Amino acid sequence: MIRTKRQGLIVYFQHMKNIRQIKKHGHLIHASKKMKYALLYVNQEDVEYKMEKLERLPFVSRVVPSYKPEVRTEYEGAKPDKAKQYDYKMGI
C-alpha cells in the first residue's frame, strides 16, 4: 500500500457558514469558531493549485501552508541525558 504525501493548509475565513465550501477542497481536520480558521489536508502535489483556488474564494482572508514536511525530524549526534538513562534502567 502506497501512502500519498499530504500537507496541511490553514485557511482563514470570515464566517463559519462557509465551512462546507472549504471542505470540498480537501480533508477537513479542525475548524475554530473563535479564531475563524480551518485546518485542511490536501495531497502535496496539489498544494499550490488548492491554495490558488482557496484564495480566490470571496470569504477567505488568507491561506497559509503547513511547514511540517520541510522540518527535519531526524537528529544526528543527540546524546541522551545520563541521569534519565539511569532512571529508565531502574524502571522509574
Side-chain angles (χ1 to χ4, degrees):
M1 185 170 147
I2 299 173
R3 291 186 129 185
T4 59
K5 300 280 186 177
R6 310 274 282 164
Q7 186 170 357
L9 294 177
I10 296 114
V11 182
Y12 293 92
F13 53 85
Q14 295 171 0
H15 303 287
M16 278 300 285
K17 67 181 180 181
N18 304 117
I19 289 293
R20 276 183 270 149
Q21 291 175 332
I22 292 172
K23 200 186 289 189
K24 294 177 185 176
H25 293 278
H27 185 228
L28 182 70
I29 299 297
H30 177 73
S32 172
K33 290 181 184 179
K34 184 178 179 183
M35 302 289 286
K36 294 185 181 175
Y37 75 91
L39 177 59
L40 197 69
Y41 274 105
V42 296
N43 290 340
Q44 208 167 17
E45 59 266 3
D46 300 337
V47 169
E48 296 296 325
Y49 174 73
K50 293 288 183 178
M51 283 180 66
E52 288 177 18
K53 292 289 272 186
L54 285 165
E55 285 175 344
R56 286 187 200 155
L57 297 174
F59 53 84
V60 172
S61 305
R62 65 183 175 147
V63 179
V64 180
S66 170
Y67 297 110
K68 186 175 181 201
E70 299 164 9
V71 175
R72 189 174 60 101
T73 56
E74 296 175 8
Y75 305 103
E76 295 176 9
K79 296 179 183 177
D81 188 18
K82 290 190 178 197
K84 287 183 181 179
Q85 273 187 333
Y86 180 73
D87 290 343
Y88 292 142
K89 288 179 185 176
M90 294 294 293
I92 296 176

